[in-house]
Structure formats: structure tokens, C-alpha cells
Amino acid sequence: MFDELLNSPLFGVGLTLGVYALAQKIYQRTGSVFFNPVALTIATLIAFLVLLRIPYETYALGGQYILFLLGPSVVALAVPLYTRRKEILARKAPILIGIAAGAVASVLSACGLAWLLGGSTEVILSLSPKSVTTPIAIGIVEKIGGLPPLTAALVVLTGCLGAICGPEFCRLIGIRDPAAMGLAVGTASHGIGTARMLEVDRLGGAVSGLAIGLNGMITALVLPFLILLFL
Amino acid sequence: MVRGMAILLLMQFLGEVISRGLSIPIPGNVLGMGLLLAALGLGWVKVQWLQDAAELLLSHLALFFVPAGVGVMVYFDLIAVEWLPILVAMVVSTFVVMAVTGWVAKLLDRGRAKDVR
């Protein structure tokens, strides 16, 4: 009976929501960015599954339902973009050129560093779209020949990093304008960074959401050519 | 709420149809975001219809990435071997991207502000 329940979506969905609710509580109580709710939830779930020897596939039976909601959420980013359209259109050149510069810098720096440190071709390819939102990154990696599930995980870790230190790092290097900050955080760390930016500033969050889509499109177009530099 | 959710899913579906039908490398949900933006701009969809559903999804955006992040456990063996290039490339590159994007945007925005004056 226990096995049957473990192998139903109830397990993955229930566990994820429970741990996430707890992580949010801890984040609110401590107010520390190091207790970022997504990062904390992922770490706790991995520890739990590994300790109890539950395979990822069993968890994913429920996890896939949560992942499903990512799709309509990305579509929903059109709402803050629409309501903030005047401010965004007034800055269309800095926004577009900023994202394009970030997209190229992302592929070159990630692949370049991994290559210099002796990473295998598989790892270099899987890392290359790390700043791009999961669905686009997976599409890209399938085309260029990396490991899509590894990419998905690296993309999420990159997102957590941007969410944990993005706004603080931006202030440190003199980027205080909410639009520029949202642009930087969204281009570097896609949806998870955007979730944090939506907490910090609404306009920053909207621009960050725009950066997810645009960075994805620009990277999908230029990455296959940039990658030739390393292979 | 239900109407908003239905519109979001419909737009994603249309995006998927375009993405697969024309084999464009951009995923359906991103195309769906573009379609919804166009529908809002053309007045076919009212922003009030979407407010509740969009608010609910966007306020929990981070949660929906959790399953993909847990997937990292499948690759522990590979990561154990190549942890250095993976860690350094990921961390350093993330900060490089933020600095490049933020500074370029700031520089260009300042230029624009001067033009206006």
C-alpha cells in the first residue's frame, strides 16, 4: 500500500508544496536572502530523496504537475509588461542592446571558463544556455547536443544564484535604477531571478520578465554560432 | 480567475502550435507571451480578465522551477567529476552577465537622458 501511494502524483505534489510553504515561512522569518525559498526547497527535497533512497523518477510523477504551471506563468508575464508598456517602450534601445550584450557575454564567459578549466564537451554544451529560461535552454541543448536534464538543473541553479545575490550585486556595482537592475537580473537568471525582482520592484520585475523571453530568443539565434569557437 | 487561466492556457496552446508547426526554436510559452501581449494591445483581451490568474501564478513563479532543480540529483556523478569547471563557469558567468547587461543599459539610458535635455 505504501509503495502505491509513493508512486502516485500525490507524493511529489504534496511534498513539494509542503516543503515550499515551510521554506517561505523560514525566508519571511529570517529575512535573509540566503534562505531563498526555491534554493532551500530544492536542497531540502534532494536531501530527503537521497536519504530515503527514493529515485528522482518517483518524485517526478508528481513534480511534472508543478512544472506544468511554468508554461502559463511565462505567458502571464505579458500582464506586467502590458501594464508597464509606456515605461518600457521609452527605453527600448537600452533594453534590447543590454539584453543582447548580456546574452553574448553569457555564452562566451560560461563556455570560455568551462573550457579553460578542462570541462568536457558535454558539460560545456550543457552549460552554454545556463542563463536562458528552462524550456528554451532545453530546446537549444537538444539541437547542439548536450545533456538536456543537466542543462535544466544548471539553469535552475543559475536562477537561484541570481535570485539570492542579484539585486545586492547590482547595487554593489552601481546599478540602482530598477529597470536596469531588472534587466540585469532577468538576463542573467531568467524566471527565478524575476520572481525575486517582482518582490524588489514592480517595474524591475516587468523588465526582468521581458528579459527572459528576449534573452531566450537572442541566445537561440546566436549560440549555435558562438559555440563553434570552443569546439 | 477561471477565465484568466483559460486565456493563458489558450495563448500557450496557440504558441505551441506556431512553435511546432513552423519548427521555430522558440518555445510555445514564450510565443504565447508575445501573442497575449499583442491581444492586450489590440484590445481583444482586457487586462482585468487576467489580473487574478496572472497574480496567482507570478507570485509563485519560483515554485514551478523546483522539480527541474531537484533533477540535479540525477547528475551527481557527473558533477562530482567536473564540479570545478561547472561551479566556476556558472557562478562567475552569472555575475559577468549581470554586470555587462546592467552597465550597457545604464550607459545607453544615460545617453538618452542627455539627448532629451
Side-chain angles (χ1 to χ4, degrees):
Chain A
M1 188 196 81
F2 196 70
D3 263 6
E4 219 169 276
L5 283 175
L6 196 64
N7 283 297
S8 86
L10 203 56
F11 170 67
V13 175
L15 187 68
T16 311
L17 292 183
V19 172
Y20 184 71
L22 206 66
Q24 274 192 317
K25 197 97 204 162
I26 294 173
Y27 177 57
Q28 283 160 4
R29 277 279 165 83
T30 60
S32 161
V33 288
F34 293 103
F35 289 109
N36 177 273
V38 214
L40 195 59
T41 306
I42 292 170
T44 309
L45 287 175
I46 290 178
F48 182 84
L49 296 174
V50 169
L51 283 176
L52 295 184
R53 297 175 193 280
I54 298 168
Y56 176 70
E57 289 70 27
T58 305
Y59 164 77
L61 291 173
Q64 61 173 332
Y65 291 99
I66 290 173
L67 194 62
F68 173 80
L69 290 170
L70 192 55
S73 306
V74 172
V75 178
L77 285 167
V79 174
L81 282 177
Y82 179 74
T83 46
R84 295 302 195 122
R85 63 193 178 281
K86 287 202 183 79
E87 288 146 287
I88 292 167
L89 279 172
R91 302 172 176 208
K92 53 185 180 298
I95 288 177
L96 273 172
I97 300 169
I99 295 171
V104 172
S106 175
V107 177
L108 291 181
S109 61
C111 294
L113 284 163
W115 181 74
L116 281 174
L117 293 167
S120 64
T121 307
E122 253 176 356
V123 162
I124 294 176
L125 290 175
S126 304
L127 261 171
S128 60
K130 62 132 189 39
S131 286
V132 176
T133 185
T134 319
I136 308 186
I138 289 179
I140 294 172
V141 165
E142 276 170 351
K143 282 219 161 76
I144 60 172
L147 303 167
L150 177 61
T151 297
L154 294 175
V155 166
V156 175
L157 294 180
T158 302
C160 290
L161 185 65
I164 291 170
C165 23
E168 289 71 20
F169 176 74
C170 285
R171 279 184 209 116
L172 195 73
I173 60 169
I175 295 159
R176 289 188 177 81
D177 169 55
M181 189 187 284
L183 204 64
V185 174
T187 306
S189 56
H190 58 91
I192 305 181
T194 299
R196 172 88 202 279
M197 272 314 297
L198 286 167
E199 282 174 31
V200 174
D201 181 274
R202 275 281 154 171
L203 173 64
V207 177
S208 188
L210 177 70
I212 302 174
L214 286 176
N215 181 21
M217 290 181 207
I218 295 169
T219 306
L221 291 174
V222 301
L223 191 143
F225 302 101
L226 290 178
I227 208 90
L228 292 173
L229 293 172
F230 300 96
L231 299 176
Chain B
M1 171 68 101
V2 174
R3 175 162 61 174
M5 202 65 194
I7 293 171
L8 293 175
L9 291 172
L10 174 70
M11 291 297 166
Q12 191 189 351
F13 178 77
L14 293 175
E16 293 293 349
V17 169
I18 295 172
S19 172
R20 283 166 207 212
L22 304 175
S23 38
I24 302 173
I26 299 160
N29 52 24
V30 176
L31 290 177
M33 176 176 88
L35 290 175
L36 180 55
L37 203 55
L40 285 165
L42 292 167
W44 294 351
V45 171
K46 295 261 173 294
V47 78
Q48 302 89 276
W49 300 348
L50 294 158
Q51 219 105 53
D52 291 346
E55 185 60 40
L56 179 75
L57 289 176
L58 291 180
S59 57
H60 297 290
L61 183 60
L63 166 67
F64 310 137
F65 286 96
V66 167
V70 176
V72 79
M73 66 186 274
V74 178
Y75 286 92
F76 273 168
D77 293 340
L78 178 65
I79 293 171
V81 177
E82 299 197 40
W83 65 273
L84 187 71
I86 291 176
L87 190 73
V88 174
M90 202 179 75
V91 174
V92 176
S93 173
T94 302
F95 290 118
V96 168
V97 178
M98 285 195 276
V100 169
T101 309
W103 281 335
V104 167
K106 196 178 158 182
L107 208 71
L108 292 171
D109 217 20
R110 193 183 290 154
R112 184 184 61 92
K114 272 184 197 142
D115 284 345
V116 175
R117 275 175 234 139

